[in-house]
Amino acid sequence: MAFSTAHSALAALREDLAGEVFAPWDPGYDAARAVFDARADLRPAVIARCADAADVVRAVRFGRELDLRVAVRGGGHGAAGTAATDGALLVDLSRMRRVTVDPVAGAARVEGGATTGDLDRAALPYGLATTGARARTTGVAGHVLGGGTGWLDRLFGPAVDSLLGVELVTAGAERVRASADEHPELFWALHGGGGNFGVATALTLRLHELPRFSLALLRYPPGYGAEVVRAFREVFRTAPDELGGAVLYLAGPAGGPRCAAVLTYAGGADGLRDLAGPLRALPHEAGPAGDLPYTAAQRLLDTPPGLRHHRSARCLAGLPPQTVDAFCAGGEGMPAATGSRYLLFPQGGAVAAGPRGHPVAWRDAPWTAHPCALWADPADDGRAPRWVRQACAALAPWSTGAVCLNLIGDEGPQWVRAGLGAGNVLRLEKVKRRYDPDNVFRCNHNIRPV
Ligand SMILES: Cc1cc2nc3c(=O)[nH]c(=O)nc-3n(C[C@H](O)[C@H](O)[C@H](O)COP(=O)(O)OP(=O)(O)OC[C@H]3O[C@@H](n4cnc5c(N)ncnc54)[C@H](O)[C@@H]3O)c2cc1C
């Protein structure tokens, strides 16, 4: 492509877009390319901050004209290793965050750049909610299209189980709507296939009634990790689907990592107190507890912006004593003086009972272990990710092999296959060939067109 052609295409994009365009020499480019993981130093060729779906069509058309890969930014919480936006066109949806709730239909239309916090704020006044990521700032579209675990998934299923429709701009810059009746094969592929098939300008999500919610956070003294995990396992052996939560190790600026348990309950605090019996029987300090809005749970793991981040996860077939020990050793070995956390959360309930056949290969696993390193000092760039890798390696004997791709970065194509389910891959590749034959959308957990 001649320089003059690229130059005039960029000028035309600036003219046509209702939103904003940032080239590397523009003021605002550096702020516009920043993402959650401060390690990421991604340098897109052009950033198109779109104001609406028509802008997304214009941007994708521009990208095709210049033969650019197209990357998508919703909430910016994707793992940097999969974003690979250097030299790409970045379609930035951070201006497209409107959420419209229809309380009668029990559904919401959520624009492609809306965050989990935006959705909760719009839905909760009606006593409605759906499974959201465990952080308010994550993008809804990225979370849902990647499957989507969360505090409420044992009750409402992985986030993608509530997907009713997707408004998409495809690689051909065409606007399509995918649902059970329209482009059904594409709709199937969007249940876990992430951003492989186009830019989702809006999702329609089913909302569920959540009239009451309560929460308990219990912090334990050093050395109690294994007892806490065993008590937690006991609680979830018979727990109703309304109960969610996690055992987690939290690193603090002073002292070593501490083990805690979070319980979330779609019901009142009295019921939660009874269910939490085995965990309350261990010596603990109580954190926030009682009848609280669901947003209190979503705030628990809030992270200040500007930290470096590395995460991974393994789905576990069970929690025999050696697995408990391996998890606790990983938690105890967490690098100090960071905001890191190591979660062990239960699945089961509606996660396991949800529809078969979608590319959500991890739904059968009863447990997921999820180490997340967060750190500020670039000197820890080796040590913190190493801890994540070692924590996962230690769990390898009990890993089911599947994993929710949202929770991992670029760990190689074998994990993409495992996350989607090897049996689904050929079908996904066929859908990819139909909607993105040139693999324009490849800054992601990539599915190649066959
Ligand atoms: C602090 C934190 C907490 C998290 N908690 C959870 C959790 O509890 N459960 C869970 O499942 N995951 C969780 N995640 C992972 C998160 O859900 C995924 O990384 C998700 O992809 C983030 O979406 P995003 O829009 O914020 O990220 P982005 O970086 O903007 O997008 C990530 C990828 O998603 C795709 N994408 C995003 N928006 C669109 C769109 N509108 N159209 C098409 N493709 C799109 C693109 O492929 C993009 O590369 C968490 C991540 C962080 C950092």
Side-chain angles (χ1 to χ4, degrees), residues 72-78 93 112 134 139 141-143 149 195 198 200 311 406 443:
V72 186
R73 184 193 193 283
H77 282 50
L93 301 175
R134 298 172 186 83
H143 176 250
T149 74
R311 63 176 181 264
N406 280 351
C443 304

Side-chain angles (χ1 to χ4, degrees), residues 35-253:
V35 290
F36 178 82
D37 179 357
R39 262 182 325 169
D41 184 19
L42 307 166
R43 301 197 63 85
V46 177
I47 302 172
R49 183 172 289 159
C50 297
D52 53 25
D55 265 5
V56 175
V57 170
R58 290 182 194 109
V60 172
R61 209 172 273 151
F62 163 85
R64 296 314 308 268
E65 203 182 321
L66 266 61
D67 204 16
L68 296 171
R69 286 171 293 137
V70 181
V72 186
R73 184 193 193 283
H77 282 50
T82 54
T85 53
D86 285 339
L89 164 69
L90 177 61
V91 174
D92 174 3
L93 301 175
S94 60
R95 273 183 65 167
M96 295 174 56
R97 291 175 56 172
R98 190 167 314 134
V99 178
T100 314
V101 174
D102 180 342
V104 178
R109 181 178 179 276
V110 183
E111 284 192 338
T115 64
T116 299
D118 296 332
L119 174 56
D120 292 341
R121 256 193 309 279
L124 282 172
Y126 298 101
L128 298 171
T130 187
T131 303
R134 298 172 186 83
R136 292 177 293 164
T137 43
T138 47
V140 174
H143 176 250
V144 171
L145 300 180
T149 74
W151 300 124
L152 298 175
D153 58 12
R154 284 173 40 81
L155 184 59
F156 301 144
V160 76
D161 287 359
S162 297
L163 188 62
L164 298 174
V166 183
E167 295 162 46
L168 200 75
V169 175
T170 64
E174 247 184 281
R175 285 173 76 167
V176 301
R177 187 182 150 79
S179 68
D181 304 322
E182 304 148 282
H183 298 267
E185 196 60 8
L186 173 62
F187 189 54
W188 168 84
L190 288 164
H191 284 78
N196 268 286
F197 306 100
V199 185
T201 54
L203 309 183
T204 307
L205 296 175
R206 182 183 302 115
L207 298 176
H208 311 264
E209 288 182 13
L210 186 67
R212 284 190 81 181
F213 185 81
S214 53
L215 172 74
L217 172 67
L218 301 96
R219 294 195 190 88
Y220 296 93
Y224 273 84
E227 282 186 66
V228 175
V229 178
R230 285 195 289 270
F232 197 83
R233 186 183 59 191
E234 179 58 24
V235 168
F236 278 90
R237 209 170 49 79
T238 53
D241 296 352
E242 285 77 6
L243 194 70
V247 175
L248 65 168
Y249 278 88
L250 292 166

Side-chain angles (χ1 to χ4, degrees), residues 424-433 447-450:
N424 293 318
V425 170
L426 183 60
R427 188 170 165 194
L428 288 163
E429 287 171 346
K430 286 183 178 161
V431 180
K432 179 78 172 176
R433 182 179 59 191
I447 298 162
R448 289 166 187 275
V450 279

Side-chain angles (χ1 to χ4, degrees), residues 37-41 80 306-311 335-338 340 373-389:
D37 179 357
R39 262 182 325 169
D41 184 19
L307 289 176
R308 308 165 92 76
H309 178 49
H310 192 90
R311 63 176 181 264
T338 67
S340 300
L374 286 150
W375 68 103
D377 186 348
D380 286 332
D381 281 1
R383 169 173 94 116
R386 198 177 317 122
W387 166 71
V388 171
R389 285 192 296 273

